């Protein structure tokens, strides 16, 4: 099997919804990733943080009530940084152990990653990114009364939404390259990266959460990956998802994918950013393939046995 450079984007189901769940979930996730490494592929890992960044934000708000010296609001950029660290900690340990169990000698490192966004990105005026736990209608109304934006999320309940600007530049890309050149397995751009804007030499954190699907795509382009694999809770992408005439997709061209996006087949905030990231990656250079599949089927996906691929 030919060795490929693969950027893996891990979704919510790879990490669980709370600390004990995460500790267990990363063990399964580590196995799926180690399968790809064992086949000789070079792997770079990115991940989401929707539930986690919401949890941290809530926890900090609660703490602020007990400490008058602490500001009431902890910037979302700081919350993303915290999420990168503790998710990276669990993930890198689980992967380290899984590789040792298979006698694979490789270092695993998490890079606290900042991602530059455009201060004028229209997303700041229109929050769309769901974070935190699902809420009932009553909880959603209470959250709105507290000044938060809340939206219905793909028929699964209500969630807080925050601004989700597009990633422009990965600040630590040089560090990521250095680690890759040294043969390390890198975990980077967690939670879409810490959103920052540039003010001369100063990087200023901003109140937003970048979509991990878009950040992973930028990372994949920057490291010249062959594959962008978005691992999520469904085996394939569907047309007419959840309807009687639902149709699972195996392999689609960038052109077909663009057409399906126009026809509104993919839910904003969940499948739409994945397909858009897939289109962006696959159209960026010949030979680049985007694959969307189930976490547990990553290896089958890469070997063409399952998943939805987007190709030029
Ligand atoms: P992740 O945490 O991996 O980013 P999301 O929940 O954000 O996962 O997105 C994956 C979900 O998107 C699927 O579990 C499914 O419920 C939903 N979805 C929406 N539209 C589609 C579609 N057209 N095909 C498949 N899944 C879809
Ligand atoms: Mg998502």
């Amino acid at each position: 099997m030919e060795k490929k450079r693969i950027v893996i984007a891990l979704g919510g189901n790879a990490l669980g919804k709370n600390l004990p769940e995460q500790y267990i979930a990363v063990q399964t996730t580590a196995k799926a990733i180690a399968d790809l490494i064992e086949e000789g592929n070079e792997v770079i890992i990115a991940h989401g943080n929707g539930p986690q960044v919401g949890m941290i934000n809530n926890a900090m708000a609660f703490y602020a009530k007990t400490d008058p010296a602490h500001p009431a609001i902890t910037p979302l950029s700081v919350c993303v940084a915290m999420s990168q660290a503790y998710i990276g900690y669990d993930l890198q340990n689980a992967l380290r152990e899984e590789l040792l169990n298979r006698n694979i000698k490789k270092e695993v490192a998490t890079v606290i990653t900042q991602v530059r966004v455009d201060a004028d990105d229209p997303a700041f005026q229109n929050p769309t990114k769901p974070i935190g736990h699902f809420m009932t209608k009553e909880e959603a109304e209470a959250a709105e009364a507290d000044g938060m934006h809340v939206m219905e999320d793909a028929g699964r309940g209500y969630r807080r939404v925050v601004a989700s600007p597009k990633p422009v530049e990965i600040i630590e890309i040089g560090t990521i390259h250095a680690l890759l050149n040294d043969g390390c397995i890198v975990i980077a751009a967690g939670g879409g990266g810490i959103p920052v804007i540039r003010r001369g030499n100063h990087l200023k954190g901003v109140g937003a959460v970048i979509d991990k699907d878009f950040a992973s795509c930028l990372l994949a382009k920057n490291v010249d990956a062959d594959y962008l694999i978005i691992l999520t809770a469904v085996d394939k992408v569907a047309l007419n998802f959840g309807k009687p005439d639902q149709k699972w997709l195996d392999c689609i061209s960038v052109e077909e994918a663009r057409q399906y996006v126009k026809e509104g087949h993919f839910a904003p905030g969940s499948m739409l950013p994945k397909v858009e990231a897939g289109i962006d990656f696959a159209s960026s250079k010949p030979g680049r393939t985007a694959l969307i599949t189930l976490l547990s089927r990553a290896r089958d996906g890469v070997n063409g046995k399952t998943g939805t691929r987007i190709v030029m």
Side-chain angles (χ1 to χ4, degrees):
M1 194 109 338
E2 193 192 341
K3 172 186 154 180
K4 303 176 195 83
R5 183 172 267 200
I6 300 174
V7 168
I8 298 178
L10 299 172
N13 63 329
L15 302 170
K17 288 188 283 297
N18 54 44
L19 280 180
E21 268 189 34
Q22 177 171 294
Y23 185 77
I24 303 294
V26 292
Q27 296 174 26
T28 309
T29 302
K31 288 196 172 72
I33 297 170
D35 284 347
L36 293 174
I37 297 168
E38 201 163 37
E39 288 196 342
N41 299 300
E42 199 180 1
V43 165
I44 300 110
I45 303 153
H47 60 82
N49 74 348
Q52 296 84 357
V53 76
M55 174 189 82
I56 292 169
N57 204 237
N58 285 350
M60 295 308 290
F62 181 80
Y63 174 76
K65 290 187 182 140
T66 71
D67 177 1
H70 197 278
I73 292 168
T74 305
L76 272 176
S77 50
V78 176
C79 298
V80 174
M82 291 180 180
S83 77
Q84 284 188 350
Y86 95 86
I87 295 170
Y89 161 57
D90 268 357
L91 210 49
Q92 105 185 23
N93 262 342
L95 190 53
R96 175 184 180 275
E97 185 173 329
E98 184 62 33
L99 293 174
L100 284 175
N101 288 346
R102 301 182 190 205
N103 270 313
I104 300 172
K105 306 257 173 319
K106 277 191 177 294
E107 304 270 328
V108 188
T110 302
V111 176
I112 299 299
T113 314
Q114 302 175 89
V115 171
R116 188 168 67 78
V117 298
D118 186 344
D120 298 325
D121 192 308
F124 286 108
Q125 261 61 56
N126 178 32
T128 55
K129 167 85 189 157
I131 65 164
H133 57 289
F134 285 95
M135 294 183 275
T136 62
K137 196 156 194 292
E138 292 69 42
E139 289 168 328
E141 281 162 7
E144 274 185 325
D146 279 348
M148 293 176 195
H149 296 269
V150 176
M151 254 166 60
E152 218 271 310
D153 184 5
R156 297 173 295 183
Y158 294 81
R159 278 175 100 185
R160 180 181 173 198
V161 287
V162 298
S164 188
K166 288 285 189 307
V168 176
E169 177 192 359
I170 297 171
I171 303 293
E172 285 77 15
I173 193 66
T175 309
I176 294 167
H177 270 129
L179 288 167
L180 290 178
N181 290 341
D182 216 40
C184 295
I185 295 172
V186 180
I187 301 168
I194 303 160
V196 297
I197 53 175
R198 201 190 286 282
R199 290 275 182 269
N201 285 338
H202 179 67
L203 296 173
K204 184 179 183 300
V206 291
V209 175
I210 301 167
D211 203 296
K212 70 104 177 28
D213 300 315
F214 296 135
S216 307
C217 174
L218 180 61
L219 178 62
K221 290 192 286 186
N222 280 184
V223 301
D224 196 16
D226 306 296
Y227 263 88
L228 169 64
I229 306 189
I230 302 179
L231 297 177
T232 186
V234 284
D235 192 20
K236 293 180 185 181
V237 180
L239 299 181
N240 307 312
F241 180 66
K243 296 184 189 140
D245 55 346
Q246 169 174 288
K247 179 174 177 260
W248 298 110
L249 298 168
D250 294 320
C251 186
I252 55 175
S253 70
V254 165
E255 285 318 308
E256 287 170 321
R258 286 198 180 114
Q259 182 59 32
Y260 298 147
V261 167
K262 264 197 215 138
E263 291 168 8
H265 286 285
F266 314 120
S270 59
M271 190 47 76
L272 181 60
K274 298 183 207 324
V275 174
E276 286 179 334
I279 292 171
D280 183 352
F281 182 68
S283 62
S284 61
K285 194 176 163 183
R288 288 181 174 170
T289 302
L291 173 73
I292 301 169
T293 192
L294 208 55
L295 169 70
S296 58
R297 305 210 62 193
R299 180 169 48 181
D300 285 347
V302 171
N303 294 329
K305 291 184 191 142
T306 193
T308 301
R309 28 187 87 220
I310 304 175
V311 296
M312 193 139 80

